Amino acid sequence: MTSTVEFLSTLPLFHSLSPQELEALEGIVEKSSCKKGDVIFSRGEVRDRLRIVHSGRVKLEMADAVTADWDEFTTIFGPGQFMGEATLLQDGMIHRATCTAVSDGAFLLLRRAKFLGFAATHPEAAGKVLMAVGAYMFQRVSGAGSNAISAPLAVAYSTGRKRMEHDLLGDREIPAECYFGVQTLRARENFHVSGTTLRSFPVFVRSLAEVKKAAAIANARLGLLDATLADAIGQACDEIREGHWLEQFVVDMIQGGAGTSTNMNANEVIANRALELMGRPKGDYAVLHPNNHVNLSQSTNDAYPTAVRIAALHSIPVLTDALTELCVSLGEKAREFSDVIKMGRTQLQDAVPMTLGQEFEAFRVTFEEDIARIREAKALFYEVNMGGTAIGTGLNAHKDYGAEVVKALREVTGLPIVRAANLIEATPDTGLFVFFSGVLKRLAVKLSKTSNDLRLLSSGPRCGFGEINLPPMQPGSSIMPGKVNPVIPEVVNQVCFQVIGNDLTITMAAEAGQLQLNVMEPVIVFNLFQSVTILTRAVRSLDRLCVRGISANRDVCRRYVENSIGLVTALNPHIGYENSTRIAMEALATGESVFNLVLKSGLLSKEKLEEVLRPENMIARS
C-alpha cells in the first residue's frame, strides 16, 4: 500500500472504503505543492475539485461571512483537513473564500470530472464517498454547536469502527472517528444538565488550547517533554485555536469534578489530533498520552482556572468594542437630534424641556462609564495560578516550571500574564469572578433601563409617547394588522434579566467553595461566559438593528412641549412658587394653556412671557 493510500485511509471521507477501493481512488488523485504566500484559490472562482491538505497550512478568509458576533470568518487548515468537498455533489459551485498558503506545503486533489469517471467504474465506492460528504455537509449546515461556516472536519457520521480505551474504572469502546477519549465519554454520560457543551463557548476552548500549548513549550524547554511530542501537541493546539475540532468538545459546561472533565476533554482531543499529525492512530497513547504528555506538570486546578482567565481576557475586548460602537451610534444620534425640543420627564410626569439630542447623549455617556469599569476589571484577570498544580504547592511540577509556563503563556497569548504571588490562596479564590460579574450586572441594569426608555419613547405610534421611531424589524402580531413591536429592545431586556440572574448564581457558587479548592467553578464559568456572550450580542443587536435606524418625530416632541404644564417651572423666578402652582393647577383643571393663564392673571407682559417660556431658553447647553 502506497503512502498516498495510507494517508487517504485516515480521512473521514474515505473511512468506509476497502483497501482495494482506496487503491482505485488513488489512481485519480493528483498531487500539488505550494509555497508560502501562494494563492490557492480566490473568491468567485468555480469550484471543481476537492483539496486535501497533505502538509503545511493554509488560511481561508471569507469577507462577507460573519460569525454570531459579527466578526469576519477566517481560519487555518492543516494536514488531513479538506476544502471543496461539495463539488463532488454538485457542479458549478463558486468559491466564497480566498485560500492562501501560510507555509510551504502539499495537496492531494480530486477533480470532479475524474471522480465522475471513477463513479462509473466503481459505483459502490463512489456512493460511500458521496454519503460521507453529504453527512459531513449536513453537520456543517447544522453548525455542530458552532458557526456553520467554521465547523471544519466535523465528525458527521460513523463507520461503526471502534477503538478500546482504558481508565481506572475499566475499558470502554470509543467510536474510531472521535478525537475525545474514555474520560470525556464518561463525563458526557454523567452530565446531562444544561445542554450547553464546551463547544458553545469557542473562546474557552481556544484558551484551553493556549494553556496546553504553553505547558508543552515549558515542559520541552525544561527537558521534560520530547521536542517531537511538544511540536505535535503545539500544532494540534493551534488548530483548535483556529476553530477546528470544536465539535469534539462535548462535555456539559455544568459538571461535577471542579472542571476535571473539561480538562480531560481538551487533553484527549489534543492527544489524538497530535497522534494523527505524527502519523499514528488515535488512541496510541503509548506514544503520546493525554495525561502523561498533554497534561504534564499540570492539574485541572491550575490549568482550568487559567484557561478561564485567558478566555475572559479574549472576550472582554469584544464586549468593549461592541459598547464602543454603540456609543459612537448614540453620539451620532445625539448630534442628529440636537435641535429637537422635547419634554423631559421625571416619575413619568412632565418635567422641564430638553432636547432629544441631550437624551441620547446621556445614553452615550452612561455606556462610556461602563467601558471604563469593564477595562478596570479586565486587569485583574492577568494573574494566574499555573504551576500550583493540585492545591498551590506545585506537587509534581519542576521547580522552574511555574515561571517557564507563565513566560510561554505570554508568548502564546500575547497577554501580559503574571503568576499569582501566593498559589495556595489563588487556587480556590473566585472573588475575581464575583467582582467581574458585578460589573456585568451593572452594565445589564443600565442597558435594560435604556431599552425601557427606547420602548417608552417609541410607544404608540398614535396612543403613546411617539417621540421616536424605532426601525421596523418584523410584523408584530398574528391578529392585529399593521402592528410593529420594539423587538430589539425587548430581547435586550430579557438578556439583561438573564445576566442579573447569572450574577446571583456566580455569587452563591463562589461562596460555596471549601478549603483548598472551589469545586463549583464550572457553574461560575458557565454563567460568566454566558453573560459576556449574550451581553456582547445584545449590545451589537441594539446598536446595529435599532439605534442606528432611529428617527425623531419632531412635530410630536414640539407639541408636547408647547402643551405641557411643565413649562410653569420656568416661571418660578418671575412670579414665585405659589403663583406658579396656582397657574399649573388651573391649567390642569381647565385644559387652558399656561401661556394664556399667565396673561389673564396679569403677572407678566406678553413680551416677557414669550421670552421666559421659549423652550430653547430653558435648555442648558453645557
Side-chain angles (χ1 to χ4, degrees):
M1 187 178 284
T2 67
S3 60
T4 300
V5 170
E6 290 173 347
F7 182 74
L8 291 173
S9 70
T10 67
L11 302 177
L13 293 184
F14 309 124
H15 274 174
S16 299
L17 299 187
S18 68
Q20 294 76 23
E21 289 170 333
L22 283 168
E23 289 183 358
L25 183 68
E26 181 199 16
I28 62 169
V29 171
E30 304 171 30
K31 298 179 181 178
S32 173
S33 62
C34 62
K35 296 291 185 183
K36 180 179 179 180
D38 286 353
V39 176
I40 311 303
F41 56 79
S42 298
R43 173 179 172 166
E45 292 181 0
V46 175
R47 291 193 209 178
D48 63 353
R49 71 201 73 180
L50 164 67
R51 287 181 171 87
I52 304 164
V53 182
H54 188 271
S55 62
R57 311 188 81 191
V58 298
K59 177 171 67 175
L60 258 69
E61 297 176 284
M62 200 177 305
D64 65 339
V66 294
T67 69
D69 290 322
W70 284 281
D71 296 323
E72 289 188 358
F73 168 71
T74 179
T75 191
I76 291 180
F77 282 62
Q81 296 179 287
F82 49 87
M83 301 159 285
E85 68 286 343
T87 192
L88 301 183
L89 293 174
Q90 183 177 345
D91 192 17
M93 299 185 71
I94 303 297
H95 283 297
R96 293 180 57 206
T98 295
C99 178
T100 308
V102 296
S103 68
D104 294 351
F107 289 93
L108 299 182
L109 309 177
L110 180 55
R111 296 181 187 273
R112 173 178 169 82
K114 290 188 176 182
F115 180 75
L116 293 177
F118 174 79
T121 57
H122 299 81
E124 185 175 346
K128 293 177 184 177
V129 173
L130 292 175
M131 286 182 65
V133 169
Y136 170 57
M137 293 296 296
F138 175 79
Q139 184 78 353
R140 289 184 70 185
V141 170
S142 65
S146 65
N147 192 286
I149 58 172
S150 60
L153 206 60
V155 175
Y157 57 91
S158 173
T159 63
R161 292 189 294 177
K162 306 285 185 180
R163 69 176 187 268
M164 192 68 69
E165 290 198 13
H166 176 83
D167 64 7
L168 66 89
L169 298 183
D171 295 334
R172 289 296 302 271
E173 286 186 336
I174 308 293
E177 293 79 21
C178 291
Y179 288 82
F180 59 77
V182 60
Q183 293 201 44
T184 302
L185 178 66
R186 294 192 192 279
R188 191 180 187 187
E189 293 169 344
N190 289 338
F191 307 127
H192 290 285
V193 183
S194 70
T196 302
T197 58
L198 299 176
R199 69 189 184 189
S200 300
F201 297 101
V203 68
F204 184 36
V205 174
R206 168 189 171 187
S207 299
L208 285 164
E210 290 179 330
V211 169
K212 297 300 175 179
K213 179 175 181 176
I217 291 171
N219 284 317
R221 287 173 177 171
L222 294 170
L224 305 174
L225 183 64
D226 178 79
T228 301
L229 300 184
D231 287 345
I233 290 170
Q235 188 169 344
C237 290
D238 283 341
E239 291 181 353
I240 292 169
R241 293 170 68 196
E242 290 293 336
H244 302 282
W245 319 114
L246 194 59
E247 75 284 350
Q248 297 295 319
F249 289 81
V250 297
V251 177
D252 199 292
M253 286 292 295
I254 301 179
Q255 56 193 253
T260 296
S261 297
T262 293
N263 189 37
M264 286 308 303
N265 196 163
N267 289 334
E268 290 173 343
V269 172
I270 292 166
N272 282 308
R273 177 54 179 161
L275 284 166
E276 212 170 48
L277 291 168
M278 295 171 66
R280 309 293 301 188
K282 300 183 192 74
D284 192 1
Y285 295 151
V287 175
L288 196 158
H289 195 279
N291 294 81
N292 297 339
H293 300 115
V294 182
N295 200 61
L296 181 61
S297 304
Q298 304 154 65
S299 162
T300 295
N301 302 347
D302 60 355
Y304 179 81
T306 296
V308 174
R309 285 162 169 77
I310 291 171
L313 289 167
H314 288 318
S315 300
I316 289 170
V318 182
L319 174 57
T320 54
D321 286 350
L323 281 169
T324 300
E325 289 182 14
L326 175 60
C327 288
V328 169
S329 297
L330 290 168
E332 290 173 351
K333 289 298 172 182
R335 289 187 290 275
E336 180 183 344
F337 302 150
S338 63
D339 61 341
V340 180
I341 305 293
K342 61 160 285 177
M343 281 303 298
R345 298 176 179 88
T346 58
Q347 296 161 280
L348 292 180
Q349 305 300 305
D350 296 353
V352 296
M354 65 185 302
T355 69
L356 189 60
Q358 288 173 319
E359 196 162 27
F360 274 77
E361 177 66 9
F363 294 153
R364 183 190 68 80
V365 171
T366 199
F367 292 123
E368 282 194 342
E369 291 175 355
D370 286 313
I371 293 171
R373 300 295 83 77
I374 291 169
R375 285 174 175 162
E376 289 169 3
K378 174 185 173 183
L380 302 177
F381 283 97
Y382 292 125
E383 186 177 280
V384 302
N385 69 327
M386 281 299 282
T389 64
I391 65 170
T393 61
L395 182 66
N396 290 349
H398 188 282
K399 63 181 180 65
D400 296 325
Y401 170 77
E404 199 64 51
V405 73
V406 168
K407 176 184 175 183
L409 275 172
R410 289 195 291 266
E411 295 169 1
V412 171
T413 65
L415 299 168
I417 293 169
V418 297
R419 197 179 187 203
N422 187 313
L423 297 181
I424 294 177
E425 183 278 334
T427 299
D429 181 28
T430 53
L432 164 60
F433 303 135
V434 176
F435 179 80
F436 183 62
S437 179
V439 174
L440 296 180
K441 181 177 74 171
R442 167 191 158 123
L443 169 61
V445 168
K446 295 167 73 174
L447 194 62
S448 188
K449 188 269 183 189
T450 301
S451 295
N452 292 340
D453 288 353
L454 294 176
R455 289 165 55 211
L456 274 174
L457 294 173
S458 65
S459 60
R462 295 188 179 180
C463 298
F465 284 13
E467 293 184 350
I468 63 172
N469 305 300
L470 305 185
M473 300 307 298
Q474 62 189 63
S477 175
S478 61
I479 189 174
M480 293 172 278
K483 191 170 187 286
V484 178
N485 296 327
V487 293
I488 301 304
E490 287 173 353
V491 76
V492 172
N493 281 130
Q494 293 170 74
V495 164
C496 295
F497 305 156
Q498 183 66 51
V499 171
I500 293 166
N502 288 351
D503 178 67
L504 178 58
T505 300
I506 290 168
T507 302
M508 296 299 294
E511 183 276 336
Q514 297 167 320
L515 303 177
Q516 279 68 58
L517 183 67
N518 189 326
V519 301
M520 309 302 175
E521 279 195 6
V523 77
I524 292 176
V525 173
F526 170 59
N527 282 275
L528 192 71
F529 286 138
Q530 184 190 66
S531 291
V532 173
T533 300
I534 62 178
L535 272 175
T536 301
R537 293 173 181 172
V539 168
R540 284 191 165 143
S541 296
L542 186 65
D543 173 27
R544 302 185 184 190
L545 304 180
C546 182
V547 170
R548 296 185 188 184
I550 291 175
S551 60
N553 287 325
R554 294 170 177 265
D555 293 341
V556 171
C557 291
R558 183 79 187 203
R559 186 168 65 250
Y560 285 159
V561 173
E562 292 173 347
N563 294 326
S564 173
I565 305 301
L567 288 177
V568 79
T569 303
L571 298 175
N572 278 345
H574 304 280
I575 64 175
Y577 187 85
E578 293 296 332
N579 283 328
S580 296
T581 300
R582 179 174 57 79
I583 294 294
M585 296 302 293
E586 188 175 351
L588 284 171
T590 65
E592 195 163 357
S593 72
V594 169
F595 188 94
N596 288 339
L597 289 173
V598 173
L599 277 183
K600 287 180 180 179
S601 68
L603 293 170
L604 291 174
S605 68
K606 182 178 180 181
E607 292 74 16
K608 182 64 175 178
L609 186 60
E610 287 178 342
E611 179 185 351
V612 171
L613 293 185
R614 178 178 296 177
E616 289 85 351
N617 292 339
M618 290 184 276
I619 296 169
R621 298 289 180 176
S622 58

